[in-house]
Amino acid sequence: MQLCVDRWPICLRPYADRDKGAVFALLSDLPALYPGGGAWLERRLGDVRSQKAFCTLAVSAFGPIGVTIETPKGANALKLSTIFVAGNCRRLGVGSLLLGRCVRRWLATGMKHVHVTVDQRRITSLLPLLESSGFESSGVEYDRYGPDRNEVIFRWNYDGQLCNHLDPTVFRGPDFQPREALRISTCGRQVSDGRPDDRLRDGPTLAACW
């Protein structure tokens, strides 16, 4: 389903093969930020093509300006592998629209657990978006990509409770429900002082401010 937002000339739509070059251009910093980032993105887009992962694009008249990639981790769990918005399109609600589309899918499909890892140096820019979407920090993976390259782990858990994290002034259209119709919340986790288990070690998360 394609969602067009009246307030901005932006559409959310699924990734298609023709978008590959534009997505690589949008995520051009990935190889510099994460070892093997280019090869990782190639594999993830291959998984999207074979319907083993999900990729949603925020598209303007000039092409893709934002992207999410979701990687299933079993029947009721997945990793939000990527959420990114182009630098000149931030602070416009594009990240909120993208993550709202993800949350809508998780609710519709009965997803129970989602995690995302964020470079600790980017926490300030990502924290408002993640918290407003029901994520809570659950641990820190120290030195994940080298000395002082720590990754903070955030988790979203569905447990049937109300959580007013979708602002109806931002989330519009048939793909979104009013906040009172959503029944989700998070289960808190204590931030660890050690490394989380290796099940989280499945590749980088490229996250940028919304």
PDB file of all heavy atoms in Angstrom, residues 26-27 29 33 65 83-95 122 125-126 206-210:
ATOM      1  N   LEU A  26      21.634   7.039  -0.862  1.00  0.00           N
ATOM      2  CA  LEU A  26      21.087   7.589   0.375  1.00  0.00           C
ATOM      3  C   LEU A  26      21.909   7.120   1.580  1.00  0.00           C
ATOM      4  O   LEU A  26      22.164   7.891   2.514  1.00  0.00           O
ATOM      5  CB  LEU A  26      19.630   7.151   0.527  1.00  0.00           C
ATOM      6  CG  LEU A  26      18.834   7.719   1.693  1.00  0.00           C
ATOM      7  CD1 LEU A  26      18.678   9.231   1.577  1.00  0.00           C
ATOM      8  CD2 LEU A  26      17.459   7.054   1.755  1.00  0.00           C
ATOM      9  N   LEU A  27      22.339   5.864   1.550  1.00  0.00           N
ATOM     10  CA  LEU A  27      23.104   5.273   2.652  1.00  0.00           C
ATOM     11  C   LEU A  27      24.592   5.224   2.319  1.00  0.00           C
ATOM     12  O   LEU A  27      25.290   4.288   2.705  1.00  0.00           O
ATOM     13  CB  LEU A  27      22.570   3.874   2.959  1.00  0.00           C
ATOM     14  CG  LEU A  27      21.089   3.789   3.333  1.00  0.00           C
ATOM     15  CD1 LEU A  27      20.675   2.349   3.588  1.00  0.00           C
ATOM     16  CD2 LEU A  27      20.784   4.654   4.551  1.00  0.00           C
ATOM     17  N   ASP A  29      27.109   6.666   3.457  1.00  0.00           N
ATOM     18  CA  ASP A  29      28.041   6.680   4.590  1.00  0.00           C
ATOM     19  C   ASP A  29      28.164   5.325   5.273  1.00  0.00           C
ATOM     20  O   ASP A  29      29.031   5.147   6.142  1.00  0.00           O
ATOM     21  CB  ASP A  29      27.592   7.708   5.629  1.00  0.00           C
ATOM     22  CG  ASP A  29      27.772   9.136   5.158  1.00  0.00           C
ATOM     23  OD1 ASP A  29      28.555   9.348   4.210  1.00  0.00           O
ATOM     24  OD2 ASP A  29      27.131  10.035   5.737  1.00  0.00           O
ATOM     25  N   LEU A  33      30.977   3.954   8.160  1.00  0.00           N
ATOM     26  CA  LEU A  33      30.555   3.847   9.549  1.00  0.00           C
ATOM     27  C   LEU A  33      30.665   2.432  10.086  1.00  0.00           C
ATOM     28  O   LEU A  33      30.946   2.230  11.269  1.00  0.00           O
ATOM     29  CB  LEU A  33      29.106   4.334   9.691  1.00  0.00           C
ATOM     30  CG  LEU A  33      28.870   5.830   9.483  1.00  0.00           C
ATOM     31  CD1 LEU A  33      27.371   6.123   9.454  1.00  0.00           C
ATOM     32  CD2 LEU A  33      29.551   6.643  10.574  1.00  0.00           C
ATOM     33  N   ILE A  65      14.133   9.865   0.167  1.00  0.00           N
ATOM     34  CA  ILE A  65      14.754  10.740   1.151  1.00  0.00           C
ATOM     35  C   ILE A  65      14.837  10.071   2.526  1.00  0.00           C
ATOM     36  O   ILE A  65      15.440  10.625   3.447  1.00  0.00           O
ATOM     37  CB  ILE A  65      13.996  12.074   1.283  1.00  0.00           C
ATOM     38  CG1 ILE A  65      12.539  11.824   1.694  1.00  0.00           C
ATOM     39  CG2 ILE A  65      14.071  12.862  -0.022  1.00  0.00           C
ATOM     40  CD1 ILE A  65      11.783  13.098   2.041  1.00  0.00           C
ATOM     41  N   ILE A  83      17.033   2.808  10.025  1.00  0.00           N
ATOM     42  CA  ILE A  83      16.115   3.929   9.870  1.00  0.00           C
ATOM     43  C   ILE A  83      16.975   5.147   9.601  1.00  0.00           C
ATOM     44  O   ILE A  83      17.853   5.493  10.401  1.00  0.00           O
ATOM     45  CB  ILE A  83      15.184   4.125  11.087  1.00  0.00           C
ATOM     46  CG1 ILE A  83      14.303   5.362  10.863  1.00  0.00           C
ATOM     47  CG2 ILE A  83      15.949   4.184  12.402  1.00  0.00           C
ATOM     48  CD1 ILE A  83      13.144   5.491  11.837  1.00  0.00           C
ATOM     49  N   PHE A  84      16.748   5.780   8.451  1.00  0.00           N
ATOM     50  CA  PHE A  84      17.619   6.870   8.021  1.00  0.00           C
ATOM     51  C   PHE A  84      16.821   7.882   7.219  1.00  0.00           C
ATOM     52  O   PHE A  84      15.981   7.508   6.398  1.00  0.00           O
ATOM     53  CB  PHE A  84      18.765   6.330   7.166  1.00  0.00           C
ATOM     54  CG  PHE A  84      19.767   7.377   6.758  1.00  0.00           C
ATOM     55  CD1 PHE A  84      20.811   7.732   7.595  1.00  0.00           C
ATOM     56  CD2 PHE A  84      19.649   8.020   5.538  1.00  0.00           C
ATOM     57  CE1 PHE A  84      21.724   8.711   7.228  1.00  0.00           C
ATOM     58  CE2 PHE A  84      20.551   9.001   5.153  1.00  0.00           C
ATOM     59  CZ  PHE A  84      21.588   9.349   6.001  1.00  0.00           C
ATOM     60  N   VAL A  85      17.096   9.156   7.467  1.00  0.00           N
ATOM     61  CA  VAL A  85      16.497  10.253   6.711  1.00  0.00           C
ATOM     62  C   VAL A  85      17.609  11.164   6.228  1.00  0.00           C
ATOM     63  O   VAL A  85      18.543  11.471   6.988  1.00  0.00           O
ATOM     64  CB  VAL A  85      15.499  11.052   7.583  1.00  0.00           C
ATOM     65  CG1 VAL A  85      14.946  12.251   6.816  1.00  0.00           C
ATOM     66  CG2 VAL A  85      14.359  10.163   8.055  1.00  0.00           C
ATOM     67  N   ALA A  86      17.544  11.576   4.974  1.00  0.00           N
ATOM     68  CA  ALA A  86      18.560  12.465   4.402  1.00  0.00           C
ATOM     69  C   ALA A  86      18.700  13.727   5.245  1.00  0.00           C
ATOM     70  O   ALA A  86      17.707  14.260   5.774  1.00  0.00           O
ATOM     71  CB  ALA A  86      18.195  12.824   2.966  1.00  0.00           C
ATOM     72  N   GLY A  87      19.930  14.209   5.356  1.00  0.00           N
ATOM     73  CA  GLY A  87      20.212  15.331   6.238  1.00  0.00           C
ATOM     74  C   GLY A  87      19.379  16.565   5.973  1.00  0.00           C
ATOM     75  O   GLY A  87      18.955  17.252   6.910  1.00  0.00           O
ATOM     76  N   ASN A  88      19.110  16.868   4.712  1.00  0.00           N
ATOM     77  CA  ASN A  88      18.358  18.092   4.392  1.00  0.00           C
ATOM     78  C   ASN A  88      16.855  17.904   4.506  1.00  0.00           C
ATOM     79  O   ASN A  88      16.098  18.829   4.207  1.00  0.00           O
ATOM     80  CB  ASN A  88      18.719  18.580   2.989  1.00  0.00           C
ATOM     81  CG  ASN A  88      18.382  17.572   1.908  1.00  0.00           C
ATOM     82  OD1 ASN A  88      18.087  16.417   2.197  1.00  0.00           O
ATOM     83  ND2 ASN A  88      18.445  18.000   0.665  1.00  0.00           N
ATOM     84  N   CYS A  89      16.419  16.718   4.954  1.00  0.00           N
ATOM     85  CA  CYS A  89      14.983  16.451   5.100  1.00  0.00           C
ATOM     86  C   CYS A  89      14.611  16.099   6.536  1.00  0.00           C
ATOM     87  O   CYS A  89      13.506  15.612   6.780  1.00  0.00           O
ATOM     88  CB  CYS A  89      14.569  15.314   4.165  1.00  0.00           C
ATOM     89  SG  CYS A  89      14.802  15.670   2.416  1.00  0.00           S
ATOM     90  N   ARG A  90      15.497  16.339   7.459  1.00  0.00           N
ATOM     91  CA  ARG A  90      15.220  16.022   8.852  1.00  0.00           C
ATOM     92  C   ARG A  90      14.418  17.130   9.519  1.00  0.00           C
ATOM     93  O   ARG A  90      14.299  18.223   9.010  1.00  0.00           O
ATOM     94  CB  ARG A  90      16.532  15.761   9.596  1.00  0.00           C
ATOM     95  CG  ARG A  90      17.242  14.521   9.069  1.00  0.00           C
ATOM     96  CD  ARG A  90      18.615  14.331   9.648  1.00  0.00           C
ATOM     97  NE  ARG A  90      19.294  13.231   8.962  1.00  0.00           N
ATOM     98  CZ  ARG A  90      20.589  12.953   9.087  1.00  0.00           C
ATOM     99  NH1 ARG A  90      21.349  13.697   9.870  1.00  0.00           N
ATOM    100  NH2 ARG A  90      21.118  11.942   8.422  1.00  0.00           N
ATOM    101  N   ARG A  91      13.854  16.792  10.686  1.00  0.00           N
ATOM    102  CA  ARG A  91      13.018  17.709  11.453  1.00  0.00           C
ATOM    103  C   ARG A  91      11.734  18.081  10.716  1.00  0.00           C
ATOM    104  O   ARG A  91      11.157  19.126  10.960  1.00  0.00           O
ATOM    105  CB  ARG A  91      13.794  18.983  11.832  1.00  0.00           C
ATOM    106  CG  ARG A  91      15.100  18.724  12.558  1.00  0.00           C
ATOM    107  CD  ARG A  91      14.857  18.065  13.898  1.00  0.00           C
ATOM    108  NE  ARG A  91      16.121  17.747  14.577  1.00  0.00           N
ATOM    109  CZ  ARG A  91      16.207  17.065  15.724  1.00  0.00           C
ATOM    110  NH1 ARG A  91      15.101  16.619  16.296  1.00  0.00           N
ATOM    111  NH2 ARG A  91      17.370  16.816  16.277  1.00  0.00           N
ATOM    112  N   LEU A  92      11.315  17.221   9.799  1.00  0.00           N
ATOM    113  CA  LEU A  92      10.062  17.443   9.076  1.00  0.00           C
ATOM    114  C   LEU A  92       9.032  16.353   9.373  1.00  0.00           C
ATOM    115  O   LEU A  92       7.967  16.331   8.780  1.00  0.00           O
ATOM    116  CB  LEU A  92      10.323  17.487   7.568  1.00  0.00           C
ATOM    117  CG  LEU A  92      11.218  18.611   7.050  1.00  0.00           C
ATOM    118  CD1 LEU A  92      11.478  18.435   5.552  1.00  0.00           C
ATOM    119  CD2 LEU A  92      10.586  19.971   7.318  1.00  0.00           C
ATOM    120  N   GLY A  93       9.371  15.430  10.250  1.00  0.00           N
ATOM    121  CA  GLY A  93       8.457  14.343  10.572  1.00  0.00           C
ATOM    122  C   GLY A  93       8.585  13.128   9.678  1.00  0.00           C
ATOM    123  O   GLY A  93       7.782  12.201   9.790  1.00  0.00           O
ATOM    124  N   VAL A  94       9.584  13.108   8.800  1.00  0.00           N
ATOM    125  CA  VAL A  94       9.735  11.970   7.882  1.00  0.00           C
ATOM    126  C   VAL A  94      10.067  10.696   8.663  1.00  0.00           C
ATOM    127  O   VAL A  94       9.496   9.625   8.409  1.00  0.00           O
ATOM    128  CB  VAL A  94      10.813  12.255   6.829  1.00  0.00           C
ATOM    129  CG1 VAL A  94      11.014  11.044   5.914  1.00  0.00           C
ATOM    130  CG2 VAL A  94      10.447  13.491   6.008  1.00  0.00           C
ATOM    131  N   GLY A  95      10.977  10.805   9.635  1.00  0.00           N
ATOM    132  CA  GLY A  95      11.309   9.638  10.447  1.00  0.00           C
ATOM    133  C   GLY A  95      10.112   9.124  11.222  1.00  0.00           C
ATOM    134  O   GLY A  95       9.914   7.915  11.361  1.00  0.00           O
ATOM    135  N   ARG A 122      24.944   8.859  18.602  1.00  0.00           N
ATOM    136  CA  ARG A 122      23.766   9.399  17.927  1.00  0.00           C
ATOM    137  C   ARG A 122      22.513   9.362  18.800  1.00  0.00           C
ATOM    138  O   ARG A 122      21.416   9.665  18.329  1.00  0.00           O
ATOM    139  CB  ARG A 122      23.499   8.619  16.638  1.00  0.00           C
ATOM    140  CG  ARG A 122      24.625   8.728  15.618  1.00  0.00           C
ATOM    141  CD  ARG A 122      24.380   7.770  14.450  1.00  0.00           C
ATOM    142  NE  ARG A 122      25.453   7.883  13.469  1.00  0.00           N
ATOM    143  CZ  ARG A 122      25.292   8.308  12.228  1.00  0.00           C
ATOM    144  NH1 ARG A 122      24.096   8.663  11.804  1.00  0.00           N
ATOM    145  NH2 ARG A 122      26.305   8.383  11.400  1.00  0.00           N
ATOM    146  N   SER A 125      20.005  12.459  19.055  1.00  0.00           N
ATOM    147  CA  SER A 125      19.123  12.751  17.929  1.00  0.00           C
ATOM    148  C   SER A 125      18.035  11.704  17.752  1.00  0.00           C
ATOM    149  O   SER A 125      16.950  12.016  17.252  1.00  0.00           O
ATOM    150  CB  SER A 125      19.943  12.879  16.638  1.00  0.00           C
ATOM    151  OG  SER A 125      20.612  11.662  16.345  1.00  0.00           O
ATOM    152  N   LEU A 126      18.292  10.466  18.167  1.00  0.00           N
ATOM    153  CA  LEU A 126      17.322   9.384  17.941  1.00  0.00           C
ATOM    154  C   LEU A 126      16.378   9.152  19.107  1.00  0.00           C
ATOM    155  O   LEU A 126      15.263   8.643  18.923  1.00  0.00           O
ATOM    156  CB  LEU A 126      18.070   8.077  17.655  1.00  0.00           C
ATOM    157  CG  LEU A 126      18.285   7.702  16.194  1.00  0.00           C
ATOM    158  CD1 LEU A 126      16.958   7.421  15.534  1.00  0.00           C
ATOM    159  CD2 LEU A 126      19.026   8.777  15.449  1.00  0.00           C
ATOM    160  N   LEU A 206      21.958   1.498  10.851  1.00  0.00           N
ATOM    161  CA  LEU A 206      22.273   2.875  10.527  1.00  0.00           C
ATOM    162  C   LEU A 206      21.069   3.724  10.887  1.00  0.00           C
ATOM    163  O   LEU A 206      20.013   3.596  10.310  1.00  0.00           O
ATOM    164  CB  LEU A 206      22.583   3.035   9.027  1.00  0.00           C
ATOM    165  CG  LEU A 206      22.922   4.455   8.588  1.00  0.00           C
ATOM    166  CD1 LEU A 206      24.164   4.942   9.309  1.00  0.00           C
ATOM    167  CD2 LEU A 206      23.102   4.532   7.098  1.00  0.00           C
ATOM    168  N   ALA A 207      21.228   4.541  11.888  1.00  0.00           N
ATOM    169  CA  ALA A 207      20.112   5.356  12.358  1.00  0.00           C
ATOM    170  C   ALA A 207      20.522   6.813  12.380  1.00  0.00           C
ATOM    171  O   ALA A 207      21.626   7.145  12.745  1.00  0.00           O
ATOM    172  CB  ALA A 207      19.685   4.907  13.751  1.00  0.00           C
ATOM    173  N   ALA A 208      19.633   7.681  11.967  1.00  0.00           N
ATOM    174  CA  ALA A 208      19.929   9.107  11.921  1.00  0.00           C
ATOM    175  C   ALA A 208      18.756   9.882  12.477  1.00  0.00           C
ATOM    176  O   ALA A 208      17.661   9.366  12.628  1.00  0.00           O
ATOM    177  CB  ALA A 208      20.210   9.551  10.489  1.00  0.00           C
ATOM    178  N   CYS A 209      19.000  11.151  12.827  1.00  0.00           N
ATOM    179  CA  CYS A 209      17.949  11.938  13.450  1.00  0.00           C
ATOM    180  C   CYS A 209      16.782  12.130  12.487  1.00  0.00           C
ATOM    181  O   CYS A 209      16.942  12.096  11.287  1.00  0.00           O
ATOM    182  CB  CYS A 209      18.483  13.272  13.935  1.00  0.00           C
ATOM    183  SG  CYS A 209      19.104  14.361  12.654  1.00  0.00           S
ATOM    184  N   TRP A 210      15.616  12.314  13.078  1.00  0.00           N
ATOM    185  CA  TRP A 210      14.382  12.333  12.311  1.00  0.00           C
ATOM    186  C   TRP A 210      13.973  13.722  11.970  1.00  0.00           C
ATOM    187  O   TRP A 210      13.000  13.929  11.273  1.00  0.00           O
ATOM    188  CB  TRP A 210      13.269  11.644  13.091  1.00  0.00           C
ATOM    189  CG  TRP A 210      12.969  12.269  14.395  1.00  0.00           C
ATOM    190  CD1 TRP A 210      13.757  12.282  15.518  1.00  0.00           C
ATOM    191  CD2 TRP A 210      11.792  12.968  14.751  1.00  0.00           C
ATOM    192  NE1 TRP A 210      13.136  12.943  16.536  1.00  0.00           N
ATOM    193  CE2 TRP A 210      11.925  13.376  16.097  1.00  0.00           C
ATOM    194  CE3 TRP A 210      10.617  13.302  14.075  1.00  0.00           C
ATOM    195  CZ2 TRP A 210      10.940  14.093  16.762  1.00  0.00           C
ATOM    196  CZ3 TRP A 210       9.648  14.001  14.759  1.00  0.00           C
ATOM    197  CH2 TRP A 210       9.810  14.387  16.078  1.00  0.00           C
TER     198      TRP A 210
END
